[in-house]
Amino acid sequence: MNPFSSGTRLRDMIRAIRACKTAAEERAVVRKECAAIRAAINENDQDYRHRNLAKLMFIHMLGYPTHFGQMECLKLIASPGFPEKRIGYLGLMLLLDERQEVLMLVTNSLKQDLNHTNQYIVGLALCALGNICSAEMARDLAPEVERLLQFRDPNIRKKAALCSIRIIKKVPDLAENFINPATALLREKHHGVLITGVQLCTDLCKISTEALEHIRKKCTDGLVRTLKDLANSPYSPEYDIAGITDPFLHIRLLKLLRVLGEGDADASDSMNDILAQVATKTESNKVAGNAILYECVQTIMSIEDNGGLRVLAINILGRFLSNRDNNIRYVALNMLMKAVSADAQAVQRHRATILECVKDSDASIRKRALELVYVLVNETNVKPLAKELIDYLEVSDLDFRGDLTAKICSIVAKFSPEKIWYIDQMLKVLSEAGNFVKDEVWYALIVVISNASELHGYTVRALYRAFQTSAEQESLVRVTVWCIGEYGDMLVNNVGMLDIEDPITVTESDAVDIIEIAIKRHASDLTTKAMALVALLKLSSRFPSCSERIREIIVQFKGSFVLELQQRAIEFNSIIAKHQNIRSTLVERMPVLDEATFIGRRAGSLPGAASTATIPSVSLPNGVAKPVAPLVDLLDLSSDDAPAPSSSGGGDLLQDLLGVDLTPASQQSGAGQASKSGNDVLLDLLSIGSPSVPSSSSAVDILSSNSSNKAPVSPLDDLSSLSLSSKTTSNAAPMMDLLDGLASSPPTENNGPVYPSITAFESSSLRLTFNFSKQPGNPQTAVIQATFMNLSSNTYTDFVFQAAVPKFLQLHLDPASSNTLPAAGNGSITQNLKITNSQHGKKSLVMRIRIAYKINGKDTLEEGQVNNFPRDL
Amino acid sequence: NNNSFWLQIHFVLLISRQGKVRLTKWYSPYSQKERSKVIRELSGVIISRAPKLCNFVEWRGFKVVYKRYASLYFCICNDQEDNELETLAIIHHYVETLDRYFGSVCELDLIFNFHKAYFILDEILLAGAMQETSKRTTLRLIGAQEDLVEAAKEEASSLSNIIAQATK
């Protein structure tokens, strides 16, 4: 006998563990016990095996590892006595899960016990099998279980029925073997057998259409009768719960009837009466009765339509909804959600009550109610519903606000009857919960504002007021900053007053104050500050009197550690200080943002699908599109090749708005139409002399015709060479050097441009150099002389050079000087190319090349992309 | 294929107010690691819920129905589609059966006789479904099995008596 394990009984061990004051003490006790149990296991102690296993189960529940006891379960199950088997099976279910290999070892014991003469041992085996059997065990033991469905004792039949459910779920192929014995169980009187038989049939119907057809045909009427008898049965103390006989059986019968009635008018018809009876006669003052009603409503809503019954069902839900018990209200909301598709009208009648549930103190109920309100909103009720929700936003829990805000924004955007209402509601949401609003939402708001020209003044004034009270809401701040930048003059002059507005007095300096607050707010992030800088630049032109003050604010950011802000500050400062003559045209109002494009882009900008790009991507045949800086300099100084986090569609719009590459381009693949017009907006912002264009989709034509008919607009040229010429014109502030570093070519004289040669392509076998020249008076066209050098020791024959360019460029290739390239630099091939850039001054040249030749008759192909053209070429 | 495997009840948990586990019954396959994670997560959610709120918590796409009896939380994890009110009734049915067996049950009964709490649950639920709705039948079956255990003990002791006498 083991000296350790004999000492403590299970009860003593539990007592010792409970007496522990600290976790460390508990661990020590458990460690000691486990050591003793291991010792007993090693000695193959038989007398205390089941006590030890019981101890291990307790230790397991405390969360300690007990895997070393798994084999003990199997030994106990294999022993002949009932007490050992009982604790062995319990341990098996608790300590093992069905994925463990050990389980396979128990199949044989299970088979023996299923055939045992003692029915309680059969019961133990069925219980274990039902709770943990795997697919393999199901296959092996299905015949035993099938046979036990006809066992003399009903308590074995009911266990076998539930065991069969597990088996057919694990191995659906076996389902048809169970159809006949299962339907036989439906005729039983014993409640245990009946309820398990009903459940088995329900699952059979779900698994096999054959079973469904069979049971529907043979058993529907019998089941209806059974339910009727049950509902009308006299008081029976054994099954009574709150005055109802066996509510569990009620519910299972209703579930099975639902499965049989779904999609079958005849079956549905035959159960109408009993459903009506259950729906009207069931007591609804206790959980059990309500559970039956709830199940009955579900069945009524699922089976084939019978108008009268549905009304009854919805009325029950209405009653539930006004119940004071939270549980009942919860299930009502849950069920109404399903009822919406069947009868939206009827559910709408309960709108007011549902709305109240959104404000419940219980998070589970709020969540359900909000989902339900969301599906109930339509054009006719959006105004009152949105008002209720927005009013509630003020007092809602912080952890609920995110969900609520998202739903409100979605509702308002989807069903808004008019723009002014949309803008009003969004301003309320931004003021209350601007920090919870997602980026796409405020982008969309700006797009709408931009399109509502008659509301520009109204909106900017409303934002000005909102800012006074809610300056802590980041997205409100951003929208305000943007609108004041664009429409600041309307704010100051009360332009476009609507009848509903009270005039306000705002001076130019007040407007600048707002931006200054925004930019100096501690909480403002890079986006907000960058937007504020753009707004300041715009205001410097709109409010000449404040120009000097604005410059002072901007100058403070010259030393910003954030490169983006520093660059803006420096650029904007020079625009204000040195380019007053062009400033006003430069910072004209943004042209109307294209709503259709935005919506389309948003639809296509699901995470991961980054097919939208603001920077024009150059799409080249069989090549990877690479981003190209659209505006060589001015606002877009960020490096175009920098690796960066992926930007979503929303971010792209932001780039449009700011005219800057905040999130440097990455992963743009294929420039779609969307990205193209996005870029046009950007071009519009900076294009000089283009009047405010009604729709940006036509902007591109105007622009391109402008530039192809006339010489490029000179101010832009000046601007675009700003950073380049700054060295010669300004007194060389050290910061300027930094900017110059970004330009790929050194500053050049304006008269008689000379461009350095570049190595356009180089591999181990080949080098390609480009020399540039321009014809006087035709700055759009560059003539390139391409020179190919062979770096290998083989002669190349059949040499062919091909090039491709994006649409804004036109390429003309002259014939090559030869098609044979001698080895080791003993000669070269030259070929002239002419490129005309319709976006000269705005977009750089880019080219994709392919060079094919033969070495000793063997084909070789080299490909590459050229994007190191001089920037102002 | 476990993905297509659906059950009415995925698991049953008994957790004390201090977060101690008093019973765990798993009908769906969860590895031992997942089991402790589930227990940790859920006990946190349920114990922190204020009284008088509804007894349902939506959790990982499932519905957990719980009810507190004295110092113990009885929790049952269901599929989204199931009847939450019935699950509450099942919990109550189990508690009443325990109550009859132990005679006004308390947490200590379930600690020292945890195996009996399991045996009783195994007579009410099987494979995550309702097995027996009569408390009397359940208790009768439990009683019959305890008689078997007693008989085996007596047999063992009488056997050892016989051996002892024979070897005297």
Side-chain angles (χ1 to χ4, degrees), chain A residues 114 122-123 125-127 129-130 142 144-151 153-168 178 185 192-193 196-197 200, chain B residues 126-127 131:
Chain A
L114 288 174
V122 177
L126 281 173
C127 179
L129 189 62
E144 266 73 25
V145 176
E146 206 186 310
R147 186 176 50 74
L148 290 172
L149 284 173
Q150 284 137 30
F151 196 81
D153 188 294
N155 293 311
I156 295 302
R157 292 204 294 277
K158 73 186 185 194
K159 284 186 160 68
L162 295 184
C163 215
S164 308
I165 295 182
R166 177 121 185 166
I167 288 172
I168 59 168
F178 286 91
L185 299 179
V193 182
T196 53
L200 174 56
Chain B
L126 203 167
Q131 178 188 177

mmCIF file of all heavy atoms in Angstrom, chain A residues 114 122-123 125-127 129-130 142 144-151 153-168 178 185 192-193 196-197 200, chain B residues 126-127 131:
data_model
loop_
_atom_site.group_PDB
_atom_site.id
_atom_site.type_symbol
_atom_site.label_atom_id
_atom_site.label_comp_id
_atom_site.label_asym_id
_atom_site.label_seq_id
_atom_site.Cartn_x
_atom_site.Cartn_y
_atom_site.Cartn_z
ATOM 1 N N LEU A 114 -20.932 -1.132 -23.530
ATOM 2 C CA LEU A 114 -22.226 -0.939 -24.198
ATOM 3 C C LEU A 114 -23.002 -2.258 -24.269
ATOM 4 O O LEU A 114 -24.224 -2.260 -24.413
ATOM 5 C CB LEU A 114 -22.023 -0.371 -25.610
ATOM 6 C CG LEU A 114 -21.571 1.088 -25.683
ATOM 7 C CD1 LEU A 114 -21.259 1.479 -27.126
ATOM 8 C CD2 LEU A 114 -22.621 2.029 -25.120
ATOM 9 N N VAL A 122 -23.971 0.239 -18.869
ATOM 10 C CA VAL A 122 -24.305 0.648 -20.241
ATOM 11 C C VAL A 122 -24.549 2.165 -20.271
ATOM 12 O O VAL A 122 -24.078 2.878 -21.169
ATOM 13 C CB VAL A 122 -25.545 -0.119 -20.755
ATOM 14 C CG1 VAL A 122 -25.922 0.369 -22.146
ATOM 15 C CG2 VAL A 122 -25.301 -1.607 -20.750
ATOM 16 N N GLY A 123 -25.272 2.632 -19.257
ATOM 17 C CA GLY A 123 -25.572 4.064 -19.168
ATOM 18 C C GLY A 123 -24.307 4.903 -19.073
ATOM 19 O O GLY A 123 -24.189 5.943 -19.731
ATOM 20 N N ALA A 125 -21.349 4.171 -20.197
ATOM 21 C CA ALA A 125 -20.645 4.158 -21.474
ATOM 22 C C ALA A 125 -21.339 5.071 -22.479
ATOM 23 O O ALA A 125 -20.677 5.820 -23.225
ATOM 24 C CB ALA A 125 -20.569 2.735 -22.013
ATOM 25 N N LEU A 126 -22.677 5.040 -22.489
ATOM 26 C CA LEU A 126 -23.411 5.910 -23.419
ATOM 27 C C LEU A 126 -23.143 7.381 -23.109
ATOM 28 O O LEU A 126 -22.987 8.208 -24.006
ATOM 29 C CB LEU A 126 -24.912 5.620 -23.319
ATOM 30 C CG LEU A 126 -25.421 4.385 -24.060
ATOM 31 C CD1 LEU A 126 -26.886 4.147 -23.723
ATOM 32 C CD2 LEU A 126 -25.261 4.563 -25.573
ATOM 33 N N CYS A 127 -23.100 7.685 -21.835
ATOM 34 C CA CYS A 127 -22.884 9.080 -21.428
ATOM 35 C C CYS A 127 -21.515 9.562 -21.910
ATOM 36 O O CYS A 127 -21.404 10.632 -22.509
ATOM 37 C CB CYS A 127 -23.004 9.167 -19.910
ATOM 38 S SG CYS A 127 -22.734 10.798 -19.283
ATOM 39 N N LEU A 129 -19.672 8.306 -24.286
ATOM 40 C CA LEU A 129 -19.650 8.327 -25.746
ATOM 41 C C LEU A 129 -20.366 9.572 -26.278
ATOM 42 O O LEU A 129 -19.864 10.256 -27.184
ATOM 43 C CB LEU A 129 -20.325 7.052 -26.282
ATOM 44 C CG LEU A 129 -20.216 6.799 -27.776
ATOM 45 C CD1 LEU A 129 -18.767 6.637 -28.184
ATOM 46 C CD2 LEU A 129 -21.001 5.556 -28.161
ATOM 47 N N GLY A 130 -21.501 9.866 -25.718
ATOM 48 C CA GLY A 130 -22.275 11.032 -26.165
ATOM 49 C C GLY A 130 -21.525 12.332 -25.943
ATOM 50 O O GLY A 130 -21.683 13.288 -26.706
ATOM 51 N N ALA A 142 -21.393 2.944 -33.703
ATOM 52 C CA ALA A 142 -22.764 3.255 -34.133
ATOM 53 C C ALA A 142 -23.710 2.052 -34.063
ATOM 54 O O ALA A 142 -24.846 2.190 -33.602
ATOM 55 C CB ALA A 142 -22.753 3.854 -35.534
ATOM 56 N N GLU A 144 -23.801 -0.479 -32.014
ATOM 57 C CA GLU A 144 -24.196 -0.717 -30.624
ATOM 58 C C GLU A 144 -25.253 0.298 -30.191
ATOM 59 O O GLU A 144 -26.260 -0.052 -29.570
ATOM 60 C CB GLU A 144 -22.974 -0.590 -29.697
ATOM 61 C CG GLU A 144 -22.266 -1.899 -29.379
ATOM 62 C CD GLU A 144 -21.477 -2.435 -30.562
ATOM 63 O OE1 GLU A 144 -21.089 -1.625 -31.429
ATOM 64 O OE2 GLU A 144 -21.281 -3.668 -30.619
ATOM 65 N N VAL A 145 -24.989 1.563 -30.526
ATOM 66 C CA VAL A 145 -25.903 2.615 -30.087
ATOM 67 C C VAL A 145 -27.270 2.446 -30.758
ATOM 68 O O VAL A 145 -28.321 2.575 -30.126
ATOM 69 C CB VAL A 145 -25.313 4.003 -30.408
ATOM 70 C CG1 VAL A 145 -26.296 5.098 -30.059
ATOM 71 C CG2 VAL A 145 -24.007 4.205 -29.666
ATOM 72 N N GLU A 146 -27.233 2.095 -32.037
ATOM 73 C CA GLU A 146 -28.470 1.885 -32.777
ATOM 74 C C GLU A 146 -29.319 0.790 -32.114
ATOM 75 O O GLU A 146 -30.536 0.932 -31.944
ATOM 76 C CB GLU A 146 -28.083 1.465 -34.194
ATOM 77 C CG GLU A 146 -29.087 1.790 -35.240
ATOM 78 C CD GLU A 146 -28.650 1.192 -36.569
ATOM 79 O OE1 GLU A 146 -27.480 1.393 -36.975
ATOM 80 O OE2 GLU A 146 -29.478 0.507 -37.185
ATOM 81 N N ARG A 147 -28.633 -0.277 -31.706
ATOM 82 C CA ARG A 147 -29.326 -1.377 -31.053
ATOM 83 C C ARG A 147 -29.919 -0.922 -29.708
ATOM 84 O O ARG A 147 -31.042 -1.290 -29.351
ATOM 85 C CB ARG A 147 -28.334 -2.530 -30.839
ATOM 86 C CG ARG A 147 -28.924 -3.817 -30.286
ATOM 87 C CD ARG A 147 -27.866 -4.909 -30.208
ATOM 88 N NE ARG A 147 -26.627 -4.483 -29.547
ATOM 89 C CZ ARG A 147 -26.508 -4.290 -28.223
ATOM 90 N NH1 ARG A 147 -27.528 -4.494 -27.428
ATOM 91 N NH2 ARG A 147 -25.361 -3.896 -27.724
ATOM 92 N N LEU A 148 -29.183 -0.093 -28.991
ATOM 93 C CA LEU A 148 -29.636 0.335 -27.666
ATOM 94 C C LEU A 148 -30.856 1.255 -27.733
ATOM 95 O O LEU A 148 -31.496 1.506 -26.723
ATOM 96 C CB LEU A 148 -28.488 1.024 -26.922
ATOM 97 C CG LEU A 148 -27.353 0.083 -26.474
ATOM 98 C CD1 LEU A 148 -26.176 0.880 -25.936
ATOM 99 C CD2 LEU A 148 -27.863 -0.897 -25.410
ATOM 100 N N LEU A 149 -31.139 1.788 -28.940
ATOM 101 C CA LEU A 149 -32.354 2.614 -29.082
ATOM 102 C C LEU A 149 -33.610 1.784 -28.808
ATOM 103 O O LEU A 149 -34.681 2.336 -28.575
ATOM 104 C CB LEU A 149 -32.432 3.196 -30.498
ATOM 105 C CG LEU A 149 -31.505 4.371 -30.799
ATOM 106 C CD1 LEU A 149 -31.569 4.735 -32.263
ATOM 107 C CD2 LEU A 149 -31.874 5.574 -29.946
ATOM 108 N N GLN A 150 -33.461 0.443 -28.866
ATOM 109 C CA GLN A 150 -34.612 -0.427 -28.593
ATOM 110 C C GLN A 150 -34.450 -1.187 -27.277
ATOM 111 O O GLN A 150 -35.164 -2.146 -27.012
ATOM 112 C CB GLN A 150 -34.778 -1.423 -29.744
ATOM 113 C CG GLN A 150 -35.396 -0.782 -30.967
ATOM 114 C CD GLN A 150 -34.722 -1.201 -32.251
ATOM 115 O OE1 GLN A 150 -34.195 -2.301 -32.346
ATOM 116 N NE2 GLN A 150 -34.745 -0.320 -33.232
ATOM 117 N N PHE A 151 -33.564 -0.745 -26.425
ATOM 118 C CA PHE A 151 -33.299 -1.403 -25.137
ATOM 119 C C PHE A 151 -34.568 -1.392 -24.290
ATOM 120 O O PHE A 151 -35.398 -0.483 -24.372
ATOM 121 C CB PHE A 151 -32.164 -0.655 -24.432
ATOM 122 C CG PHE A 151 -31.525 -1.408 -23.304
ATOM 123 C CD1 PHE A 151 -30.555 -2.375 -23.565
ATOM 124 C CD2 PHE A 151 -31.875 -1.159 -21.986
ATOM 125 C CE1 PHE A 151 -29.949 -3.059 -22.522
ATOM 126 C CE2 PHE A 151 -31.277 -1.845 -20.938
ATOM 127 C CZ PHE A 151 -30.315 -2.797 -21.205
ATOM 128 N N ASP A 153 -35.053 -0.891 -21.040
ATOM 129 C CA ASP A 153 -35.208 0.195 -20.060
ATOM 130 C C ASP A 153 -35.223 1.559 -20.758
ATOM 131 O O ASP A 153 -34.298 1.881 -21.508
ATOM 132 C CB ASP A 153 -34.068 0.137 -19.041
ATOM 133 C CG ASP A 153 -34.291 1.101 -17.894
ATOM 134 O OD1 ASP A 153 -34.274 2.324 -18.140
ATOM 135 O OD2 ASP A 153 -34.522 0.645 -16.761
ATOM 136 N N PRO A 154 -36.266 2.361 -20.498
ATOM 137 C CA PRO A 154 -36.350 3.666 -21.192
ATOM 138 C C PRO A 154 -35.158 4.574 -20.889
ATOM 139 O O PRO A 154 -34.791 5.399 -21.735
ATOM 140 C CB PRO A 154 -37.652 4.274 -20.657
ATOM 141 C CG PRO A 154 -37.969 3.521 -19.417
ATOM 142 C CD PRO A 154 -37.392 2.142 -19.590
ATOM 143 N N ASN A 155 -34.569 4.428 -19.704
ATOM 144 C CA ASN A 155 -33.453 5.319 -19.373
ATOM 145 C C ASN A 155 -32.227 5.063 -20.233
ATOM 146 O O ASN A 155 -31.384 5.952 -20.397
ATOM 147 C CB ASN A 155 -33.114 5.192 -17.894
ATOM 148 C CG ASN A 155 -34.236 5.736 -17.046
ATOM 149 O OD1 ASN A 155 -34.723 6.842 -17.270
ATOM 150 N ND2 ASN A 155 -34.710 4.922 -16.107
ATOM 151 N N ILE A 156 -32.117 3.852 -20.764
ATOM 152 C CA ILE A 156 -31.031 3.573 -21.708
ATOM 153 C C ILE A 156 -31.427 4.082 -23.100
ATOM 154 O O ILE A 156 -30.610 4.652 -23.818
ATOM 155 C CB ILE A 156 -30.729 2.060 -21.744
ATOM 156 C CG1 ILE A 156 -30.201 1.605 -20.383
ATOM 157 C CG2 ILE A 156 -29.727 1.728 -22.845
ATOM 158 C CD1 ILE A 156 -28.953 2.317 -19.917
ATOM 159 N N ARG A 157 -32.700 3.911 -23.448
ATOM 160 C CA ARG A 157 -33.147 4.379 -24.769
ATOM 161 C C ARG A 157 -32.910 5.885 -24.918
ATOM 162 O O ARG A 157 -32.462 6.357 -25.959
ATOM 163 C CB ARG A 157 -34.634 4.073 -24.979
ATOM 164 C CG ARG A 157 -34.942 2.583 -25.095
ATOM 165 C CD ARG A 157 -36.244 2.344 -25.852
ATOM 166 N NE ARG A 157 -37.425 2.824 -25.157
ATOM 167 C CZ ARG A 157 -38.069 2.137 -24.193
ATOM 168 N NH1 ARG A 157 -37.628 0.954 -23.804
ATOM 169 N NH2 ARG A 157 -39.146 2.645 -23.633
ATOM 170 N N LYS A 158 -33.223 6.644 -23.859
ATOM 171 C CA LYS A 158 -33.056 8.106 -23.983
ATOM 172 C C LYS A 158 -31.578 8.481 -24.118
ATOM 173 O O LYS A 158 -31.211 9.364 -24.898
ATOM 174 C CB LYS A 158 -33.714 8.825 -22.800
ATOM 175 C CG LYS A 158 -32.986 8.714 -21.493
ATOM 176 C CD LYS A 158 -33.745 9.309 -20.326
ATOM 177 C CE LYS A 158 -32.865 9.261 -19.077
ATOM 178 N NZ LYS A 158 -33.578 9.511 -17.839
ATOM 179 N N LYS A 159 -30.712 7.787 -23.367
ATOM 180 C CA LYS A 159 -29.279 8.074 -23.502
ATOM 181 C C LYS A 159 -28.781 7.702 -24.908
ATOM 182 O O LYS A 159 -27.996 8.433 -25.519
ATOM 183 C CB LYS A 159 -28.484 7.307 -22.443
ATOM 184 C CG LYS A 159 -28.559 7.903 -21.040
ATOM 185 C CD LYS A 159 -27.623 7.160 -20.093
ATOM 186 C CE LYS A 159 -27.257 7.944 -18.852
ATOM 187 N NZ LYS A 159 -28.363 8.160 -17.912
ATOM 188 N N ALA A 160 -29.279 6.570 -25.397
ATOM 189 C CA ALA A 160 -28.857 6.135 -26.734
ATOM 190 C C ALA A 160 -29.314 7.140 -27.795
ATOM 191 O O ALA A 160 -28.604 7.399 -28.772
ATOM 192 C CB ALA A 160 -29.416 4.751 -27.033
ATOM 193 N N ALA A 161 -30.501 7.720 -27.597
ATOM 194 C CA ALA A 161 -31.009 8.689 -28.571
ATOM 195 C C ALA A 161 -30.084 9.906 -28.654
ATOM 196 O O ALA A 161 -29.729 10.371 -29.747
ATOM 197 C CB ALA A 161 -32.423 9.116 -28.201
ATOM 198 N N LEU A 162 -29.662 10.433 -27.492
ATOM 199 C CA LEU A 162 -28.791 11.610 -27.509
ATOM 200 C C LEU A 162 -27.400 11.256 -28.023
ATOM 201 O O LEU A 162 -26.748 12.057 -28.694
ATOM 202 C CB LEU A 162 -28.714 12.234 -26.115
ATOM 203 C CG LEU A 162 -30.034 12.819 -25.599
ATOM 204 C CD1 LEU A 162 -29.842 13.502 -24.262
ATOM 205 C CD2 LEU A 162 -30.609 13.818 -26.597
ATOM 206 N N CYS A 163 -26.974 10.044 -27.687
ATOM 207 C CA CYS A 163 -25.704 9.567 -28.203
ATOM 208 C C CYS A 163 -25.756 9.510 -29.735
ATOM 209 O O CYS A 163 -24.777 9.850 -30.419
ATOM 210 C CB CYS A 163 -25.460 8.181 -27.642
ATOM 211 S SG CYS A 163 -23.763 7.855 -27.302
ATOM 212 N N SER A 164 -26.893 9.109 -30.258
ATOM 213 C CA SER A 164 -27.058 9.045 -31.718
ATOM 214 C C SER A 164 -26.914 10.430 -32.334
ATOM 215 O O SER A 164 -26.391 10.578 -33.442
ATOM 216 C CB SER A 164 -28.438 8.490 -32.084
ATOM 217 O OG SER A 164 -28.664 7.280 -31.423
ATOM 218 N N ILE A 165 -27.389 11.467 -31.637
ATOM 219 C CA ILE A 165 -27.248 12.828 -32.164
ATOM 220 C C ILE A 165 -25.775 13.143 -32.380
ATOM 221 O O ILE A 165 -25.374 13.619 -33.446
ATOM 222 C CB ILE A 165 -27.869 13.869 -31.206
ATOM 223 C CG1 ILE A 165 -29.379 13.662 -31.121
ATOM 224 C CG2 ILE A 165 -27.545 15.282 -31.661
ATOM 225 C CD1 ILE A 165 -30.082 14.667 -30.230
ATOM 226 N N ARG A 166 -24.981 12.811 -31.376
ATOM 227 C CA ARG A 166 -23.546 13.085 -31.512
ATOM 228 C C ARG A 166 -22.953 12.295 -32.681
ATOM 229 O O ARG A 166 -22.135 12.796 -33.446
ATOM 230 C CB ARG A 166 -22.839 12.733 -30.209
ATOM 231 C CG ARG A 166 -21.349 12.912 -30.263
ATOM 232 C CD ARG A 166 -20.855 13.888 -29.249
ATOM 233 N NE ARG A 166 -19.433 14.139 -29.407
ATOM 234 C CZ ARG A 166 -18.800 15.139 -28.830
ATOM 235 N NH1 ARG A 166 -19.455 15.982 -28.075
ATOM 236 N NH2 ARG A 166 -17.518 15.321 -29.013
ATOM 237 N N ILE A 167 -23.393 11.053 -32.803
ATOM 238 C CA ILE A 167 -22.836 10.200 -33.856
ATOM 239 C C ILE A 167 -23.181 10.740 -35.250
ATOM 240 O O ILE A 167 -22.310 10.884 -36.110
ATOM 241 C CB ILE A 167 -23.333 8.747 -33.686
ATOM 242 C CG1 ILE A 167 -22.640 8.121 -32.480
ATOM 243 C CG2 ILE A 167 -23.079 7.925 -34.946
ATOM 244 C CD1 ILE A 167 -23.169 6.769 -32.082
ATOM 245 N N ILE A 168 -24.448 11.110 -35.459
ATOM 246 C CA ILE A 168 -24.809 11.569 -36.812
ATOM 247 C C ILE A 168 -24.218 12.948 -37.115
ATOM 248 O O ILE A 168 -23.998 13.294 -38.270
ATOM 249 C CB ILE A 168 -26.336 11.579 -37.055
ATOM 250 C CG1 ILE A 168 -27.031 12.476 -36.045
ATOM 251 C CG2 ILE A 168 -26.895 10.168 -37.013
ATOM 252 C CD1 ILE A 168 -28.481 12.753 -36.405
ATOM 253 N N PHE A 178 -30.450 5.700 -38.709
ATOM 254 C CA PHE A 178 -31.142 6.059 -37.470
ATOM 255 C C PHE A 178 -32.574 6.524 -37.709
ATOM 256 O O PHE A 178 -33.309 6.751 -36.760
ATOM 257 C CB PHE A 178 -30.348 7.147 -36.733
ATOM 258 C CG PHE A 178 -29.101 6.625 -36.080
ATOM 259 C CD1 PHE A 178 -27.885 6.609 -36.759
ATOM 260 C CD2 PHE A 178 -29.130 6.121 -34.785
ATOM 261 C CE1 PHE A 178 -26.735 6.123 -36.155
ATOM 262 C CE2 PHE A 178 -27.977 5.634 -34.175
ATOM 263 C CZ PHE A 178 -26.779 5.636 -34.872
ATOM 264 N N LEU A 185 -39.246 6.307 -31.586
ATOM 265 C CA LEU A 185 -39.205 6.933 -30.261
ATOM 266 C C LEU A 185 -40.295 7.996 -30.091
ATOM 267 O O LEU A 185 -40.703 8.309 -28.981
ATOM 268 C CB LEU A 185 -37.834 7.580 -30.014
ATOM 269 C CG LEU A 185 -36.609 6.653 -30.019
ATOM 270 C CD1 LEU A 185 -35.338 7.458 -29.795
ATOM 271 C CD2 LEU A 185 -36.741 5.589 -28.927
ATOM 272 N N GLY A 192 -38.716 11.302 -20.927
ATOM 273 C CA GLY A 192 -37.285 11.317 -21.243
ATOM 274 C C GLY A 192 -37.018 10.772 -22.630
ATOM 275 O O GLY A 192 -36.257 11.356 -23.412
ATOM 276 N N VAL A 193 -37.665 9.658 -22.952
ATOM 277 C CA VAL A 193 -37.452 9.060 -24.264
ATOM 278 C C VAL A 193 -38.053 9.946 -25.352
ATOM 279 O O VAL A 193 -37.452 10.174 -26.404
ATOM 280 C CB VAL A 193 -38.074 7.644 -24.322
ATOM 281 C CG1 VAL A 193 -37.808 7.022 -25.683
ATOM 282 C CG2 VAL A 193 -37.538 6.776 -23.218
ATOM 283 N N THR A 196 -35.888 13.117 -25.949
ATOM 284 C CA THR A 196 -34.636 12.817 -26.645
ATOM 285 C C THR A 196 -34.916 12.359 -28.081
ATOM 286 O O THR A 196 -34.179 12.719 -28.999
ATOM 287 C CB THR A 196 -33.826 11.741 -25.902
ATOM 288 O OG1 THR A 196 -34.676 10.603 -25.671
ATOM 289 C CG2 THR A 196 -33.314 12.242 -24.582
ATOM 290 N N GLY A 197 -36.017 11.612 -28.258
ATOM 291 C CA GLY A 197 -36.398 11.180 -29.606
ATOM 292 C C GLY A 197 -36.722 12.380 -30.491
ATOM 293 O O GLY A 197 -36.312 12.450 -31.662
ATOM 294 N N LEU A 200 -33.504 14.010 -31.455
ATOM 295 C CA LEU A 200 -32.795 13.221 -32.472
ATOM 296 C C LEU A 200 -33.429 13.436 -33.848
ATOM 297 O O LEU A 200 -32.725 13.646 -34.845
ATOM 298 C CB LEU A 200 -32.820 11.737 -32.086
ATOM 299 C CG LEU A 200 -32.251 10.745 -33.111
ATOM 300 C CD1 LEU A 200 -30.812 11.093 -33.481
ATOM 301 C CD2 LEU A 200 -32.305 9.311 -32.560
ATOM 302 N N LEU B 126 -26.987 15.454 -21.818
ATOM 303 C CA LEU B 126 -26.052 14.523 -22.464
ATOM 304 C C LEU B 126 -25.831 15.025 -23.884
ATOM 305 O O LEU B 126 -26.777 15.433 -24.560
ATOM 306 C CB LEU B 126 -26.655 13.105 -22.471
ATOM 307 C CG LEU B 126 -25.693 11.906 -22.583
ATOM 308 C CD1 LEU B 126 -26.440 10.633 -22.242
ATOM 309 C CD2 LEU B 126 -25.040 11.774 -23.932
ATOM 310 N N ALA B 127 -24.599 15.013 -24.304
ATOM 311 C CA ALA B 127 -24.252 15.482 -25.651
ATOM 312 C C ALA B 127 -24.788 16.897 -25.898
ATOM 313 O O ALA B 127 -25.129 17.262 -27.018
ATOM 314 C CB ALA B 127 -24.782 14.525 -26.718
ATOM 315 N N GLN B 131 -31.807 15.610 -21.447
ATOM 316 C CA GLN B 131 -31.995 14.161 -21.371
ATOM 317 C C GLN B 131 -33.192 13.766 -20.529
ATOM 318 O O GLN B 131 -33.925 12.846 -20.881
ATOM 319 C CB GLN B 131 -30.720 13.546 -20.772
ATOM 320 C CG GLN B 131 -30.782 12.062 -20.600
ATOM 321 C CD GLN B 131 -29.585 11.512 -19.828
ATOM 322 O OE1 GLN B 131 -29.507 10.353 -19.554
ATOM 323 N NE2 GLN B 131 -28.627 12.350 -19.481
#
